[in-house]
Amino acid sequence: MRTRITRGRYYSRKTNHRTCSPRVSRRKYTWADARRDLELAYAPPEKAAATWAKTRQVLAEIEGFCTSPAALDWRSVKRVKLVWNDRVSPATCNSLLRTLKAIAKFLVDLEVLKKSPFEGQKFFQRESSSDVGRHLSSDEIVRLLETADAEFLASLSPHDRLRRVSRLGDPESQPPLRLTGAPRSRAVLSPHAFRAGRLRCLVYVCAYAALRLNEALHLEAADIADGFIWIRDTNHRTKTAASRQPVPMAPELQPVVADWLGRLDGRRFLFGKMNADGP
């Protein structure tokens, strides 16, 4: 059936003779279209850079198991899961599956899929106890801090030892002494002492400020000011918007950070490498 419309153009249109309503043909939605739409929703600054990187990784994997986003079904998910099981740990496999589940929900919202292939299916697997992270007890944290202190003290030269001061924690339990105070000299640290000092300060920051490891590793020397650790989002290293706020430093943390700041020799990053100013 040919229909004449304005400006003298002719368009071909198929008609459903039962309902007499036109059946509009749509261009096939491809993975390139899905990648473009997902980039608008997941690329920084909308989401973290790591989230967008994992989304791109999952898209590249799933494209080999179904021809188009509309063909994404539970069989495709099963096949890609078998590939991931051979390459990564159960915890990482579950993380990739969660990303794929978010992509499927995104396609459902766009009406590319009628329903998510994860509905009514169990794809996630049980993680072993070794794969599941756990919190350290207070005694384990104390031992960890003691080990970091001892290793840093042993790595220093005799003339650059740190002074031992008052005990920390509960006075009745009489915990071991902590290393605080300023060094007697600002001599250049040996590679072993630099690594031990950097690890010691990192352990203290994570223990007392409760920062995520990625947030702590990308701290800059300028982020330490006025007794606070200022969590910035310069490189989009924070996980949530609530993470971008100042964190007060505990009294036990301040001398350790101050001592390490004095040993940076003008480096930009607080936990940068010894031979390169980068995290």
Side-chain angles (χ1 to χ4, degrees):
M1 175 180 179
R2 292 171 63 84
T3 305
R4 184 184 177 103
I5 61 175
T6 58
R7 297 183 183 178
R9 295 182 181 179
Y10 286 86
Y11 287 85
S12 297
R13 182 174 62 174
K14 294 182 179 180
T15 303
N16 189 328
H17 297 287
R18 292 185 179 179
T19 60
C20 296
S21 60
R23 188 175 60 201
V24 180
S25 60
R26 295 178 58 184
R27 185 177 67 85
K28 186 177 181 181
Y29 191 83
T30 64
W31 283 114
D33 299 326
R35 189 180 296 105
R36 182 195 63 235
D37 293 339
L38 284 166
E39 183 176 3
L40 295 175
Y42 282 84
E46 298 298 329
K47 301 288 184 180
T51 302
W52 174 230
K54 185 180 291 186
T55 303
R56 293 201 314 268
Q57 175 189 352
V58 172
L59 279 175
E61 297 272 3
I62 197 62
E63 285 181 22
F65 294 92
C66 53
T67 58
S68 67
L72 181 62
D73 58 2
W74 66 270
R75 297 178 183 86
S76 303
V77 179
K78 283 283 188 181
R79 294 189 188 102
V80 74
K81 178 187 173 183
L82 291 176
V83 175
W84 289 337
N85 281 337
D86 295 336
R87 295 191 334 218
V88 298
S89 66
T92 305
C93 181
N94 286 342
S95 177
L96 295 173
L97 286 172
R98 283 190 288 270
T99 302
L100 182 55
K101 184 178 181 180
I103 293 174
K105 182 180 182 302
F106 184 83
L107 295 176
V108 171
D109 293 340
L110 291 181
E111 298 183 355
V112 176
L113 289 176
K114 292 184 178 179
K115 71 172 186 176
S116 172
F118 286 81
E119 293 183 11
Q121 300 288 335
K122 294 183 178 180
F123 295 109
F124 298 98
Q125 50 190 325
R126 183 184 300 274
E127 301 173 6
S128 62
S129 57
S130 60
D131 296 324
V132 179
R134 64 185 182 88
H135 295 288
L136 298 179
S137 64
S138 58
D139 294 337
E140 290 173 327
I141 294 176
V142 169
R143 287 196 295 268
L144 181 62
L145 296 175
E146 292 173 1
T147 302
D149 286 338
E151 290 182 356
F152 182 52
L153 181 63
S155 67
L156 293 175
S157 58
H159 67 278
D160 198 25
R161 303 285 183 180
L162 299 179
R163 293 179 291 105
R164 291 177 177 268
V165 294
S166 61
R167 302 174 184 271
L168 303 177
D170 186 3
E172 297 181 358
S173 61
Q174 295 184 354
L177 296 176
R178 288 279 182 271
L179 294 171
T180 58
R184 296 179 181 177
S185 66
R186 296 297 182 186
V188 177
L189 296 176
S190 65
H192 176 60
F194 183 88
R195 289 192 295 268
R198 180 180 59 182
L199 180 60
R200 170 181 178 249
C201 186
L202 178 62
V203 169
Y204 268 81
V205 167
C206 291
Y208 283 102
L211 299 187
R212 297 182 178 91
L213 182 60
N214 205 34
E215 296 170 354
L217 288 175
H218 288 82
L219 285 176
E220 300 180 10
D223 295 335
I224 311 298
D226 303 325
F228 287 87
I229 299 176
W230 297 85
I231 308 298
R232 310 183 194 277
D233 203 29
T234 307
N235 300 318
H236 208 91
R237 296 296 178 179
T238 55
K239 186 175 181 181
T240 62
S243 303
R244 298 187 287 275
Q245 57 184 342
V247 178
M249 290 196 297
E252 298 84 357
L253 175 61
Q254 293 182 13
V256 177
V257 174
D259 171 71
W260 185 243
L261 283 173
R263 301 178 184 274
L264 291 181
D265 297 329
R267 292 183 176 89
R268 173 187 171 189
F269 287 95
L270 186 63
F271 302 113
K273 300 176 183 178
M274 185 172 187
N275 300 323
D277 192 12

